[in-house]
Every structure is written in C-alpha cells, then in structure tokens.
Amino acid sequence: MMRKALAIAAVFGITAMALPAFAETTAMEPRTNVHWSFEGPFGRFDQAQLQRGYKVYHDVCSACHAMSLMSYRNLGQKGGPFYDPKYPNPNDNPYVKTIVKDFKVPDIDTDTGDAIKRPATPADRFVSPFPNEYAARASNGGALPPDLSLIINARENGARYVFSILRGYMAPPPGLKVPAGRFYNGYMQGDLTSAMAPGMKPPEGGFIAMPLQLTDNRVTYDDGTKATADQEAADVVAFLTWAGEPHADERKTLGLAVMIYLLIFTGVLYFSYRTIWRNTKH
C-alpha cells in the first residue's frame, strides 16, 4: 500500500514539474529569406552596405546600445566602412576625423584632476550612451540594453537571429496581455504563461523591452538607397557582423591562398613521388 502511494505521489510530482516546461513558449525560427554578401567561404563585406549600417547604428541604435570594443579608427581600417587606400593609417582618414567631431569623451584634466569632456579622437572607443549600467537601466524601464560589439557572435544563428528580432514585432495573439513597457516579438524566446488567458494555447515568441525601432525611412541614406525597414535591418546587421569580426575578409583571402598552395604542393609531391620511384617495384 505504501509503495502504491509513493508511486502515485511520484507520478504527480513529475507531472507538476513538467507543467512549466509544457507551458513555456518557443520562438519562431529565424528568417532565411534574407542574404548578405559576406555569407559563405568566399563572401565579402559590401563597403557601401557597411556605411549604411553604421548610419543606422549611429542614428538609431547608439541612443541606447554601446559598442565598447570598437574604436572610431576601426571604421577606417582595411575592410572597414570608410577604408580608403590613400590613408593606410586609419587615424589619418579624413572621414573618420569628420565622424569623431560629433563626439566628446570623458577624461581627466591632468592639471587639476577634475573630470572633463574633451573632443574625441580616432583612437577613442565609441562613446557610450550612458555613464554606467544603473543609468542605462533607469532609462530603459529596468532593462539593460546589450553591448552590440559582439552581439552577432554571441547569438545562435547570428545575423539571421538579430535581423529576425529587429523585424519580428507583431500584434500579440488574442488573449495575450502584454505587460507595460514590454513588446511582443515572435522571434524572442520567453515564457508567456503569466500573460496568457486561461486555456490559451502557448503562442510562439516572447516579450522584449526594446520597442520597434526600424521603420520605413527611419534614416536617409547618402547613396540614395531606399530606406525600407528590411533594408535598414539588413544593413545594420551587416555592420554588426563586420564589427564582431573586422578581419573576416582578410582571413578568407588568406584561407583561399593556403588552400591553393596546399593543392599545388600536393600535386608537386605526387609527381615527385611518381618520378623518383617509377623504376622501383613496390
């Protein structure tokens, strides 16, 4: 009798523990109908797209998101958005110098020891929109906007995931109550059980603290490209992908050269072997 009671209790216990797992929602699969020039082993970044992507970051994303691992001179390095072979030293790149004129960075007056702000130089890191984490949370309803320096590398499905999140805002399904300061996104992982009506089937997606940012004509591109929301998202994702691996083009070029060298070396070895041992029985 005792064993039967324990078995029943165990079944109920396992069922109780499993309920939250069944109730937890899953995100939609990242979109696959968008493509970038940098994809694949032979892909390369499109410099014009990188320039547009930086503009989207500067005009939209930088109001909340830092890129603390990036320096302004990186924008002018080889393979970067504003690289110019006439200026191999990115610190001398006139476009980069023009960009940094818009920024001031915190520093210390070496004569007085006072905290000051001085004009930025190409060697400085990207200016953060907030002085510290507490200020960032206070300005964003308690949520901390992630640093975007390595955001593509840090997320599964990288570029496609971030693109999908940026374009994944949609009307919540009937019966789902969206909390104040949160927004429904079909590609966001989350648990919506507390916001679901009784008996409601768990929908895909989750809540995100960032409101919709990219809309048609949110920015104006200098090259005349039509600024649709999809275009803006694709461009800023390309820029963030480059920022996470700024030497990707050089790495792919080197890899291709190594593969060609190995193929030639293999051929030379094979014909050498055939020549040296052609009169020898094996």
Side-chain angles (χ1 to χ4, degrees):
M1 190 69 178
M2 179 63 71
R3 289 183 179 178
K4 185 176 181 180
L6 290 174
I8 294 173
V11 170
F12 276 108
I14 292 172
T15 303
M17 288 188 293
L19 282 176
F22 285 120
E24 185 176 343
T25 59
T26 55
M28 297 167 61
E29 288 297 319
R31 288 173 55 173
T32 58
N33 62 340
V34 58
H35 301 282
W36 289 273
S37 64
F38 57 78
E39 292 180 302
F42 305 111
R44 295 291 185 271
F45 287 109
D46 179 349
Q47 188 178 39
Q49 184 171 50
L50 293 182
Q51 292 176 4
R52 296 194 301 269
Y54 172 73
K55 186 173 183 64
V56 176
Y57 169 75
H58 176 274
D59 291 0
V60 183
C61 309
S62 65
C64 295
H65 294 276
M67 292 189 73
S68 59
L69 300 182
M70 288 291 294
S71 297
Y72 291 107
R73 63 184 173 193
N74 295 141
L75 298 172
Q77 71 184 36
K78 188 174 182 179
F82 304 106
Y83 172 69
D84 187 334
K86 293 189 296 184
Y87 304 97
N89 184 346
N91 292 297
D92 299 329
N93 187 299
Y95 206 103
V96 174
K97 289 182 177 181
T98 300
I99 289 174
V100 298
K101 286 181 180 179
D102 295 334
F103 300 99
K104 290 185 178 296
V105 297
D107 206 342
I108 300 295
D109 188 318
T110 55
D111 294 327
T112 64
D114 295 332
I116 60 171
K117 284 197 171 184
R118 60 167 175 78
T121 69
D124 286 314
R125 301 280 188 178
F126 278 24
V127 174
S128 174
F130 303 105
N132 51 61
E133 177 182 333
Y134 303 105
R137 290 186 181 276
S139 297
N140 290 277
L144 179 64
D147 188 292
L148 298 184
S149 303
L150 298 173
I151 193 70
I152 302 296
N153 307 63
R155 298 294 186 270
E156 186 178 1
N157 294 312
R160 297 190 183 283
Y161 171 78
V162 175
F163 178 88
S164 298
I165 287 289
L166 291 173
R167 301 295 300 127
Y169 292 86
M170 55 190 71
L176 184 68
K177 185 178 180 180
V178 181
R182 295 295 182 268
F183 306 88
Y184 177 68
N185 191 303
Y187 298 95
M188 190 73 181
Q189 186 73 37
D191 187 348
L192 305 177
T193 51
S194 61
M196 289 163 42
M200 180 181 177
K201 181 181 178 181
E204 291 182 308
F207 296 137
I208 186 172
M210 180 179 72
L212 174 65
Q213 296 295 317
L214 301 182
T215 56
D216 291 348
N217 301 313
R218 180 68 192 273
V219 299
T220 301
Y221 287 134
D222 298 330
D223 63 1
T225 299
K226 188 175 181 180
T228 64
D230 276 357
Q231 183 69 57
E232 293 165 359
D235 291 343
V236 75
V237 165
F239 172 71
L240 295 177
T241 303
W242 168 82
E245 198 173 359
H247 300 291
D249 284 357
E250 296 176 67
R251 175 178 56 79
K252 290 179 180 180
T253 300
L254 177 61
L256 179 61
V258 169
M259 291 300 295
I260 293 173
Y261 168 78
L262 290 176
L263 286 173
I264 295 174
F265 187 63
T266 300
V268 171
L269 285 178
Y270 174 75
F271 287 109
S272 298
Y273 169 83
R274 297 282 296 180
T275 300
I276 294 172
W277 299 98
R278 67 175 179 268
N279 297 321
T280 305
K281 293 184 178 180
H282 296 278

